[in-house]
Amino acid sequence: MSKHSTDAAARSEKPNDGQEVTDGRYLYCLVDPTAAEGAEITARGVEDAPVYVVRERGVAAIVHDCERTYGTEPPDTDLLTQRVLRHQQVVDAASEVFGTPLPMRFNTVFEGGNAGVTGWIRDQYDRIRGGLCSFAGTREYRISLLWDPTSFEDGAEDRDGKLRKIQQRQRQAGTGKAFLLEKQYDKRLRELKSERRTELTAALKRTVEPTARELQEQESNVSPSETPDPADREQIARVAVLADETDEAELGSRLDRLVERDGVSVRFTGPWPPYTFAPDLG
Amino acid sequence: MKPTKDDTHAIVELLDVLLREGAVIQADVVVTVADIPLIGISLRATIAGMTTMTEYGMFEQWDTTHRRRTSADERTKPPSERR
């Protein structure tokens, strides 16, 4: 933690409502202003704060003035949701005007006014310009792959000789042996499902790779209880793809073909700024 | 298919992404960055109960603009390419 953040934490009177800051600037994203000289952002920022553009040569920062950071333990999640969505709305508005931004993580706050922001941009100028140039014309898309394991189980015996053999032996066995064979059946079915999940994940990657400048596999960590699926589908993979915005339709068509061919479902979200692929800046 | 930004899944994903990802700045003049993965988890649970992202009224404008542009694109295509 820097000296500034230690001082700010010590000054804070309401820790759950963020830290007090001196001449703070909440930073939404960095953009390339050269294609839209003099342009401004009309969207309102988090909690309706007026948003404006701070320019430093070929880099511009989209900011609003603030006296505190946002608390990491807000009184209700609804409030944090509103703040996060408003943050995204500003980033979207900046993308419309200036093209692909370098997006900041929510709650990135500078001290020291506009001079603090521009001083930092000067220090990091080449890296920021390099990032803006390399992401120009791209967008991030998120794809989740889902399948219905029940229909796979229903047809498993037709496809797998080992399962059929275990099933036949079960019919002829006594109670004790049938129980053990049932365990073998379940184990074999688990193996087949695991193989199929791996095949489908590979198929998803092959499908999107031709349109992807970069691809990153994500943790498949959103449990069904958090996002109930009406069709009881199981999420088996998530990927983030950085693609040219002109390839969006092609990416969608390729996903359509995957769904049709392999009987899976996909959730396709975007276009987002390159959150996953944005570099960390010193 | 077309990507979406306005359904429940998209907002859950957005919260997940925004609270965990995006450029992180290491500098003396930066006071804080988001460090709230636990809140991200409870947010996902909250949002999962919502019907659509537009309940928050945040993306209605985006959605309207996007749909208008999409239908304009469709109109400019020759009939053979329209879906």
Side-chain angles (χ1 to χ4, degrees), chain A residues 204-205 208-209 212-217 239-242 277:
Chain A
L204 172 66
K205 288 186 194 168
V208 301
E209 265 166 3
R213 281 205 197 181
E214 287 185 57
L215 186 153
Q216 197 176 102
E217 198 165 347
V239 295
V241 173
L242 183 73
F277 305 96

Side-chain angles (χ1 to χ4, degrees), chain A residues 124-194:
Chain A
Q124 298 292 321
Y125 190 81
D126 291 343
R127 291 191 67 196
I128 298 170
R129 274 297 300 176
L132 287 170
C133 292
S134 68
F135 288 120
T138 66
R139 290 289 186 272
E140 177 171 327
Y141 299 91
R142 297 268 180 141
I143 301 153
S144 303
L145 181 65
L146 303 105
W147 79 326
D148 176 3
T150 322
S151 48
F152 178 82
E153 286 169 15
D154 290 345
E157 276 180 37
D158 295 337
R159 291 187 299 267
D160 187 65
K162 282 187 187 172
L163 268 190
R164 280 198 302 277
K165 200 172 278 180
I166 297 170
Q167 179 76 309
Q168 282 163 8
R169 287 172 62 200
Q170 252 181 320
R171 287 199 197 101
Q172 294 154 5
T175 314
K177 191 158 188 185
F179 176 77
L180 293 173
L181 287 165
E182 192 181 327
K183 295 286 169 203
Q184 277 184 32
Y185 186 95
D186 290 346
K187 181 168 176 284
R188 178 63 186 159
L189 194 55
R190 278 199 303 276
E191 284 170 3
L192 290 172
K193 280 159 64 175
S194 173

Side-chain angles (χ1 to χ4, degrees), chain A residues 1 182 244 275:
Chain A
M1 186 180 279
E182 192 181 327
D244 288 352
Y275 283 116

